[in-house]
Amino acid sequence: MDSSTSTSDENYELGYQPSPSSVDQTDQSLTDTTSCSILSADSFAYCRTNSEASAFSEHTDSFSEIASPSWRGLKSPARAALSRLGMRQHKHGMDEEVMDLELELMKERFSKLLLGEDMSGSGKGVCTAVTISNAITNLYASVFGQHQRLEPLHPEKKLMWKREMNCLLSVCDYIVEFSPTLQTLKDGTTLEVMTSRPRSDIYINLPALRKLDAMLLDILDSFQVTEFWYAEQGSMSGNSTRSGSFRRIVVQPQPQRKEEKWWLPVPCVSPDGLSEKSKKHLQQKRDCAYQIHKAAMAINSAILAEMQIPESYMASLPKSGKASVGETIYRYMYNAEKFSPDYLLDSLNISSEHEALELADKVEASMYTWRRKMCMTHSKSSWDMVKDLMSDVDRTDKNHVLAERAETLLFCLKQRYPELSQTTLDTSKIQYNKDVGQAVLESYSRVLESLAFNIVAWIEDVLFVDKTMKNQE
């Protein structure tokens, strides 16, 4: 009996505990993987949506059903000894089978990564950077897509998240840069040799993201016992998931919840409301998740800023920045002696996220249009370019002034709408990025940013319901 218990516990720790949904998830995973095996430049929307199954993750539970030994019907003292011997052999065989299955699973996953999600092997797949970014995005959707409450993540899902993220992040261990160092020989001779070290952006950001990841899981684990519960609202099929932008603006919990978040379970509290201890715990976790969100967002923005601007985006820019932003915005940006982006945004009366995102795309495009014109004006010769870089920029240049003001307006717009979806330039950078290290950091920070924001929203929902209950009294 003890051996049987230890065997089942070991299988549970390995993440292969059978579950009713495991077969459905496997079928769904195979379907989703097939549907997006060949990607083109026009089908990049997958990076902004959630899917039920991970392209990098499938469940395999078939080995958990083992046939019963034929000697189980024996009724003698020898049965106990045979049982103990059989269980030891069964456990040893089970360990080997688990290791073999995990090895085959790893072979399959990395084969898909190397093929660029093109199972035909004809070289039509996407580059490795986009493949890994897609894998991290889909893994997040598979693990957290159905998790919409303040409660601990299911142990099987948590183990799946940690195991597969470790596999995807392991590529960063081999991304290095070379730097000169001094080495002293036994005879006292000093030589300068090149040594490898982790690339600086990975060395700084990856440990920070791992820490943020662990902190978010700890926040969910802290809601094991709560004074609130959830009631289902609306209809939601077992295979459906939330889709859309990772940075979607979620309006303050109520009163527009029926229109914008009808698919989420509704938090409930007792008529007396939450205790002070529970409320304080929620507020602390909300503040912690909010800081994690800000940190992940800062890392994501920094990585996106470092990515190269695709030539296709530059080629698609309008010839005139004025045509991009429109006559009204251009007139104010050009004629105002003291430019005030806040005043301009207030006068535009932006009423929705869609309008804010559309304006951000236009301002960003005009900014790069004016910068390109400025570079064309000052690029007379290579030596003139060097002198321009060494000397102060001509701040009276029209294109330079407009580009600076456009950058200030874009920064102010993103501050006013911190959860704004990624702009056309950002999605274009992710689509055409070929740097594997940047792809890992960008996608990892993006999914952590999404999880942190969701946790803050869930906590705000509970606190709002508690406040409503007390106001009714």
Side-chain angles (χ1 to χ4, degrees), residues 53-73:
S54 167
F56 189 72
S57 169
E58 297 170 9
H59 293 280
T60 307
D61 295 333
S62 59
F63 63 86
S64 60
E65 300 177 359
I66 308 296
S68 302
S70 60
W71 42 264
R72 185 166 292 180

Side-chain angles (χ1 to χ4, degrees), residues 56 113 132 135-136 139 164-172 440:
F56 189 72
L113 290 177
I132 292 182
I136 293 176
L139 176 61
E164 299 200 5
M165 277 305 301
N166 286 334
C167 293
L168 290 169
L169 298 178
S170 63
V171 66
C172 294
V440 171

